[in-house]
Amino acid sequence: MSAESGTEIMVHRQVSVPLTPQRAFTLFTARMTEFWPSEHSIGSSALAEVVVEPREGGRWFERGADGSECDWGRVAEWTPPGRVVLLWQIGADWKFDPDLETEVEVTFTEEPGGRTLLELRHRHLERYGDQAGAMYAVFDSPGGWDGTLAAFVALAA
Amino acid sequence: MARVRHDRASVSLDERLTTAYRSFRLTGMSVSASAVLDALGDANRRAILERLTGGPLAVGVLADRLPISRPAVSQHLRVLKEAGLVTESSVGTRRLYRIDSAGLAVVREYLDGFWGSALDNFARLAEAEAERKERPA
């Protein structure tokens, strides 16, 4: 699942869907709320909506059930229907960190039969390097990483 | 705009990452996560890691700064080492312990699992969407 070059550490995932690139792009960016794993939110209230503003420089944020907004990052590149790049600025402590920029690049490639291959690359995870300590501390907090990791470990076992 | 976080230790960031990546490749996806969880399940071990975020330390110094005995510190360090969370090196006759950036592998594993479930959800949504449009209105 990985394709690192040099010291860049990234996650690479892909999925094929029965939609045209345009429809897949729209579904991914405009209806993120509907596929976002809802336990993953950084706000104080339950996740109500995930918003990607459809333009370069747009915000990427969550809106809580109480109407409060928490920034996740922003739109670095907006080139429908082929590509969108989002900056993910959530630190290892699961809080917005304006100094941290990791990159989520999503490409939509047409496949035979009216399908689209979506490829997601979450790049520059090496930028978490100096946050290792914060990450460990978060294992201690409810709603931190450990529940998800534990579930993941159970699946991987 | 992009800012790379620079390592404050004397080892270069590149070296640390190369080591982390190599160790990740050697341990594979599922090996380290459970060991990491076990290692982090203890408050004293988390306290040791927190002390080490400031830089490498010897066992004796760690024992001075924590309300646990030196043998206990050694025992915890052994568990942390086996989980790939700390590494040790010798400086003269002293052994120094430092945080192992293989912790990055855990971040990566976490995000890999996270995006995996997000894209599974997305595929289900896309299939429902495709069927909806194919049905006559």
Side-chain angles (χ1 to χ4, degrees):
Chain A
M1 293 315 285
S2 68
E4 278 84 345
S5 64
T7 57
E8 184 184 288
I9 296 180
M10 75 167 174
V11 165
H12 179 201
R13 284 272 180 175
Q14 62 183 50
V15 68
S16 169
V17 294
L19 297 173
T20 62
Q22 181 61 59
R23 288 181 65 200
F25 183 97
T26 304
L27 191 68
F28 190 87
T29 54
R31 292 169 60 186
M32 200 172 271
T33 313
E34 291 172 61
F35 66 88
W36 196 262
S38 59
E39 67 276 19
H40 292 271
S41 75
I42 65 170
S44 48
S45 74
L47 179 67
E49 199 181 357
V50 181
V51 180
V52 178
E53 292 179 344
R55 59 186 165 80
E56 198 172 309
R59 291 168 64 213
W60 183 20
F61 63 97
E62 71 169 82
R63 193 171 283 133
D66 63 358
S68 63
E69 293 180 359
C70 280
D71 277 321
W72 287 1
R74 58 184 196 282
V75 180
E77 278 188 56
W78 183 263
T79 44
R83 187 172 126 100
V84 61
V85 179
L86 303 168
L87 297 180
W88 165 284
Q89 298 179 274
I90 296 172
D93 56 356
W94 214 235
K95 290 197 172 78
F96 179 71
D97 178 352
D99 291 334
L100 175 73
E101 286 182 355
T102 66
E103 198 177 282
V104 180
E105 178 200 50
V106 190
T107 58
F108 302 83
T109 310
E110 193 164 8
E111 286 188 317
R115 298 182 68 90
T116 295
L117 178 69
L118 180 158
E119 286 187 88
L120 183 147
R121 292 179 177 83
H122 193 161
R123 300 180 194 277
H124 296 305
L125 302 182
E126 71 278 7
R127 291 178 188 165
Y128 279 103
D130 279 359
Q131 297 202 330
M135 189 190 74
Y136 299 139
V138 170
F139 274 97
D140 225 3
S141 70
W145 305 72
D146 64 346
T148 310
L149 252 187
F152 182 66
V153 169
L155 282 175
Chain B
M1 282 305 285
R3 257 171 281 183
V4 176
R5 290 166 167 274
H6 292 287
D7 184 23
R8 57 183 165 264
S10 56
V11 183
S12 78
L13 183 62
D14 280 10
E15 273 173 290
R16 276 191 2 158
L17 291 169
T18 306
T19 309
Y21 178 51
R22 195 178 297 130
S23 114
F24 172 69
R25 290 300 297 266
L26 286 174
T27 55
M29 279 287 286
S30 58
V31 175
S32 63
S34 62
V36 168
L37 282 177
D38 285 347
L40 293 172
D42 181 278
N44 283 322
R45 289 199 281 273
R46 289 195 298 270
I48 289 173
L49 284 170
E50 279 165 30
R51 296 303 184 284
L52 292 178
T53 57
L57 294 171
V59 182
V61 179
L62 278 166
D64 286 346
R65 295 184 187 179
L66 293 165
I68 47 177
S69 70
R70 190 182 165 128
V73 170
S74 295
Q75 174 60 32
H76 287 311
L77 282 169
R78 187 152 47 237
V79 176
L80 290 168
K81 227 174 78 176
E82 281 163 11
L85 292 168
V86 306
T87 56
E88 75 180 302
S89 58
S90 298
V91 180
T93 57
R94 292 207 313 162
R95 284 183 180 284
L96 288 179
Y97 292 83
R98 69 180 77 231
I99 284 194
D100 188 335
S101 47
L104 283 171
V106 176
V107 175
R108 190 192 167 282
E109 237 171 297
Y110 170 82
L111 289 169
D112 190 62
F114 167 74
W115 287 117
S117 49
L119 292 190
D120 283 350
N121 292 347
F122 178 75
R124 276 196 292 275
L125 181 65
E127 273 164 35
E129 182 71 2
E131 276 181 30
R132 195 176 67 79
K133 279 289 163 76
E134 277 162 19
R135 239 180 277 138

